[in-house]
Amino acid sequence: MNTANASYRKHPSGQVLGWASLTPAELRVARLVSEGLTNRAVATHLVVSPHTVDSHLRHIFIKLGISSRVALARLTVFHDHTSLHEQPVESAGSSRIRAT
């Protein structure tokens, strides 16, 4: 799968897939799994059951079109890296500076 298209695409049914389709809970699970945590460790961290983590992972894999934790880790790094660099630059009068 082309990782450049992994952030947004549509399923033939019209359902939005990719990062844009992940729920906040799925995003939390994806990031923790990408850091190398087991399902049980993610469940403990989020105070949910391991079954809930497994369910979130199945939905994440479908939405991102992947089938492994390694692929999830790669996509998470890619997504977080590109998201950081796609943040809008503040106006000239702003005191905030964009991180690069």
Side-chain angles (χ1 to χ4, degrees):
M1 176 167 105
N2 182 350
T3 55
N5 295 329
S7 63
Y8 172 81
R9 60 193 171 100
K10 280 194 172 186
H11 187 270
S13 69
Q15 174 187 7
V16 174
L17 300 175
W19 285 101
S21 69
L22 297 182
T23 67
E26 290 167 346
L27 286 168
R28 287 190 296 272
V29 169
R31 289 203 168 87
L32 291 170
V33 167
S34 295
E35 291 175 12
L37 275 69
T38 63
N39 286 12
R40 187 173 299 279
V42 171
T44 300
H45 184 80
L46 297 177
V47 192
V48 297
S49 74
H51 176 76
T52 299
V53 173
D54 184 61
S55 177
H56 284 315
L57 276 175
R58 284 193 313 268
H59 294 135
I60 292 165
F61 286 2
I62 290 167
K63 290 177 179 182
L64 297 181
I66 57 176
S67 60
S68 74
R69 296 167 86 91
V70 171
L72 177 58
R74 287 180 181 157
L75 284 177
T76 302
V77 169
F78 176 81
H79 177 264
D80 288 351
H81 178 75
T82 57
S83 293
L84 176 66
H85 294 290
E86 291 176 356
Q87 292 177 356
V89 177
E90 298 292 329
S91 64
S94 174
S95 61
R96 295 174 125 184
I97 298 174
R98 185 182 112 196
T100 56

